[in-house]
Amino acid sequence: MFQTLYSYFWWERLWLPANLTWADLEDRDGRVYAKASDLYITLPLAFLFLIVRHLFETYVATPLAGLLNVKEKVRLKATPNAVLENFWLGATVGGRAVWGVGPVGPSSSLPAPSPCPSEDRLLPFSSWRFTFYLIAFIAGMAVIVDKPWFYDLREVWKGYPIQSMLPSQYWYYMIELSFYWSLLFSIASDVKRKVGWGWEGLGGGCMHWDRVGGTSWEDLGTQRGRRMAGIMHCTVVYPLDLYPAFFGYYFFNFMMVVLQSLHIFWAYLIIRMAQKFITGKVVEDERSDREETDNSEEEEEAAKNGPLSNGHPVLNNNHRKTD
C-alpha cells in the first residue's frame, strides 16, 4: 500500500511537463539535478540549528537584553480566597460540576493567566530570527547577483528542465528548509507569532524550478513590489511558452500567491505599527498574538489598583472610625 501511495505521489504527470520522465533528470554528463532524497539532510541540520540557537540566545541575546535593560515583568500572585475557591469547586450546572468555566480558577482569586512571553523572552527570540534572516539575505544576494536570471527573468527558463543545480542553490535551499524545520520543532515553546513557512522552496525543488524558487525567496525577503510582480509574471506566463499547464504549475503558483498575500498582510501590520510610533501612540508588535498584550495590560492595571478579587480591586475597610 505504501508503495502504491508513493507511486501516485511521485507520478510524473503531476510534477513534470508532458513527455518528460524522472529518468530524464538523472545525473549524467556532469549535470546534477535536485532529488527528493536531498531533503533528508535538512533534518540533522534542523537539530544543529536548534543547538546554535540555544547557544546564541544564551550567550548573545540574553546578555544583550541585560545591556538594554529588558527585564521580565514581575507577575502578581493572587491572594488565596477561601470563599471563591469553595464556590469554584462547588459550582454546578444542571447537576454537573463545571471546571474551567468562569472568571476564577482553583487556588486563585484572579483569572487564570494565559501563558504569554515576557519582554526578556521576546528579545532573544526576535534577535535570533533577525540574525538568521539578515545572514540569509546577504548570502542569498551574494550567490545570485552574478546569475543572468537575476537581471533577466526569461533566463530562468533557458534550457528548462535540463538545468543543473548549482552548489550555491543546493545549500541555499537546504539551509533555508532546515531553519524552518527547526522552527517547527520548537513551535510549542516559541513565542506565538503570525508567521509563514518556506514551502515555495520545497515546491520549486520538487518540480526543478530551482532558479525561480531561489529568486523568489530572495526577492520576497526584500519586499520589492515591482520585482515580485515580475516574478509572478515569470512563473505564470513564461512557462506556458514551453509546455502546457500541469498540476505542478498550478501548485507552485498557488503557493506563490499565498506567500505574496501573506507578505502584503505583514507589510500592513508593520506600516500600522510604524504609524503608531510616529503619532506617539503606544507601540506593540502587531505580529504577536493579542492575548499577550492584553495580559500585560491587566497586570499593569492590577499593580496600580492593588490586589484584585474576582477581577475587582479589594477595598480596604480597615479604617478607624472617627468620633
Side-chain angles (χ1 to χ4, degrees), residues 62-70:
T62 301
L64 177 61
L67 291 175
L68 297 177
N69 200 29
V70 177

Side-chain angles (χ1 to χ4, degrees), residues 183-194:
L183 293 183
L184 181 63
F185 294 156
S186 60
I187 194 171
S189 59
D190 274 346
V191 177
K192 291 185 290 184
R193 304 290 290 275
K194 300 177 179 71

Side-chain angles (χ1 to χ4, degrees), residues 40-55 128 174-175 177-186:
Y40 293 137
I41 195 175
T42 61
L43 295 178
L45 286 178
F47 285 103
L48 179 61
F49 265 116
L50 291 176
I51 296 173
V52 174
R53 173 183 173 177
H54 174 74
L55 296 175
W128 163 248
M174 296 303 107
I175 292 175
L177 290 173
S178 300
F179 176 75
Y180 285 111
W181 273 123
S182 71
L183 293 183
L184 181 63
F185 294 156
S186 60

Side-chain angles (χ1 to χ4, degrees), residues 102-122:
V104 295
S107 303
S108 173
S109 57
L110 284 174
S114 59
C116 71
S118 57
E119 291 179 354
D120 65 337
R121 270 194 65 201
L122 280 170

Side-chain angles (χ1 to χ4, degrees), residues 292-309:
E292 300 169 6
T293 305
D294 293 342
N295 196 60
S296 178
E297 292 174 352
E298 290 173 2
E299 291 174 355
E300 291 178 0
E301 187 67 23
K304 294 178 182 178
N305 299 330
L308 300 179
S309 179

Side-chain angles (χ1 to χ4, degrees), residues 116-274:
C116 71
S118 57
E119 291 179 354
D120 65 337
R121 270 194 65 201
L122 280 170
L123 192 143
F125 173 81
S126 300
S127 60
W128 163 248
R129 292 179 65 114
F130 170 79
T131 301
F132 173 81
Y133 289 137
L134 178 61
I135 295 175
F137 168 73
I138 295 174
M141 290 298 297
V143 301
I144 201 174
V145 72
D146 62 336
K147 305 300 186 296
W149 55 85
F150 183 71
Y151 304 96
D152 182 5
L153 291 177
R154 289 187 178 275
E155 291 288 330
V156 165
W157 306 105
K158 186 177 181 179
Y160 179 86
I162 311 300
Q163 297 173 333
S164 181
M165 173 172 271
L166 302 176
S168 59
Q169 290 177 306
Y170 173 84
W171 286 111
Y172 191 72
Y173 271 91
M174 296 303 107
I175 292 175
E176 285 275 359
L177 290 173
S178 300
F179 176 75
Y180 285 111
W181 273 123
S182 71
L183 293 183
L184 181 63
F185 294 156
S186 60
I187 194 171
S189 59
D190 274 346
V191 177
K192 291 185 290 184
R193 304 290 290 275
K194 300 177 179 71
V195 297
W197 306 92
W199 300 119
E200 79 286 351
L202 177 58
C206 288
M207 294 172 287
H208 293 260
W209 288 21
D210 314 319
R211 295 181 180 180
V212 70
T215 305
S216 65
W217 243 339
E218 195 60 34
D219 285 297
L220 285 171
T222 57
Q223 289 291 306
R224 288 176 290 185
R226 292 183 60 187
R227 178 69 172 178
M228 185 58 213
I231 291 179
M232 291 300 302
H233 184 269
C234 172
T235 62
V236 173
V237 177
Y238 294 166
L240 299 180
D241 296 335
L242 303 175
Y243 49 78
F246 59 104
F247 172 79
Y249 165 85
Y250 294 112
F251 178 74
F252 183 82
N253 281 294
F254 171 75
M255 291 194 294
M256 293 286 288
V257 170
V258 171
L259 190 62
Q260 177 66 354
S261 301
L262 288 174
H263 274 272
I264 293 174
F265 174 65
W266 293 328
Y268 163 74
L269 295 179
I270 294 173
I271 292 173
R272 190 170 69 171
M273 185 169 57

